[in-house]
Amino acid sequence: MTERPTGRPTGRPTGRRRVLILGGTGEAVALAEALAGRADVTYSLAGRTDAPRLPPGVAVRSGGFGGAAALAGWIEAGRIDAVIDATHPFADIIAGNAEAACRRAGTLRLKLLRPGWEARTGDIWHAAGSVADAARLIPETGGNVFLAVGRQQLAAFAGAAAGSGRQFLIRTVDLLTAAPFAGAVCVTGRGPFSVQEEAALLREHAIGCVVSRNAGGPSSYAKIAAARSLSVPVIMIDRPPPPPGDCAADVEGALDWLRQRLG
């Protein structure tokens, strides 16, 4: 079932707990699959990907809620018992809206936040506090650049690309309708990728620097391991701080939290 972005949960009278999962990550899908049949689950996506992976056996909605107040109203109308924010670690706007909405609605909320990556022997990392900081660090590196930052942050690198003579490799799940700036080379691909595949990509495009958000988890780590194997430096963008409240590092932790809070 797919709801319109402005739709309300149907509130089926099953007697089961009602859980809203803010999704878009592998952990979110796994959590929804684990809860299917045990709770009335609504799995919500921002709707930015054409063919996202969806969990079976749960209600699915696509599109934004329209801010914290609108999300609080949606939660109240659907008599949601708990909200699990399992969005990307860098989805700080929806994370903040979820915290504010649940506080307003008096609803339980958990942030499912996988641990970040840590540098290992052989890694050449340059820490960046933000996407803008990462763009400023690029002139200190050599060769072409692989931007693994998400398409909404691409515009921040236009200045670093201008007149640099470098290629900026951009890989997205869905084909971009136009290059975001001069010097961009756009390819498509849906992970997870192997370390060998990522190393081949870096060699093919003569990548001298990888710019990555510290997403954490195994699904997108191969590019970091590939950069290490080729001694390619990585500009690693720090995560935004999570909102206050309960956090779990994995799906099992989220399930334990639900058992303790909801029974």
Side-chain angles (χ1 to χ4, degrees):
M1 181 181 85
T2 302
E3 293 184 0
R4 296 176 181 268
T6 55
R8 300 290 183 183
T10 56
R12 296 184 302 275
T14 62
R16 297 185 299 194
R17 297 292 194 173
R18 295 168 181 165
V19 179
L20 170 64
I21 298 176
L22 304 177
T25 61
E27 293 91 346
V29 172
L31 178 62
E33 290 175 342
L35 289 174
R38 301 159 57 187
D40 281 346
V41 177
T42 299
Y43 182 83
S44 178
L45 287 168
R48 297 189 181 121
T49 303
D50 289 341
R53 181 186 168 198
L54 298 176
V58 302
V60 175
R61 76 178 302 279
S62 180
F65 289 93
L71 175 55
W74 196 96
I75 290 168
E76 291 171 341
R79 301 196 299 266
I80 300 298
D81 294 297
V83 174
I84 310 295
D85 174 8
T87 56
H88 193 277
F90 281 80
D92 53 337
I93 294 177
I94 184 59
N97 285 344
E99 189 277 330
C102 289
R103 180 160 32 86
R104 178 170 178 163
T107 302
L108 295 169
R109 180 193 61 88
L110 175 74
K111 177 62 179 174
L112 177 50
L113 187 64
R114 56 182 178 252
W117 299 319
E118 296 182 359
R120 302 182 184 179
T121 301
D123 283 327
I124 308 169
W125 284 14
H126 303 281
S130 66
V131 171
D133 287 342
R136 285 191 288 267
L137 287 172
I138 285 177
E140 300 178 14
T141 65
N144 296 331
V145 181
F146 179 21
L147 293 179
V149 297
R151 61 185 179 182
Q152 290 188 322
Q153 284 75 43
L154 294 175
F157 296 90
S164 68
R166 307 185 193 209
Q167 288 185 348
F168 281 68
L169 177 65
I170 297 165
R171 182 175 63 201
T172 55
V173 174
D174 302 319
L175 180 66
L176 295 178
T177 56
F181 48 78
V185 176
C186 303
V187 299
T188 58
R190 186 185 293 271
F193 302 97
S194 68
V195 175
Q196 293 75 19
E197 288 171 327
E198 296 290 64
L201 183 74
L202 299 185
R203 287 192 294 264
E204 176 186 354
H205 293 273
I207 299 299
C209 171
V210 175
V211 181
S212 176
R213 299 179 295 180
N214 193 335
S219 64
S220 60
Y221 183 73
K223 63 180 176 287
I224 307 302
R228 179 170 61 244
S229 72
L230 299 175
S231 297
V232 171
V234 176
I235 297 176
M236 188 64 74
I237 303 171
D238 297 333
R239 295 176 171 189
D246 293 344
C247 281
D250 53 31
V251 171
E252 282 304 317
L255 291 172
D256 286 343
W257 181 88
L258 284 168
R259 292 187 195 103
Q260 292 171 14
R261 299 301 190 277
L262 300 181

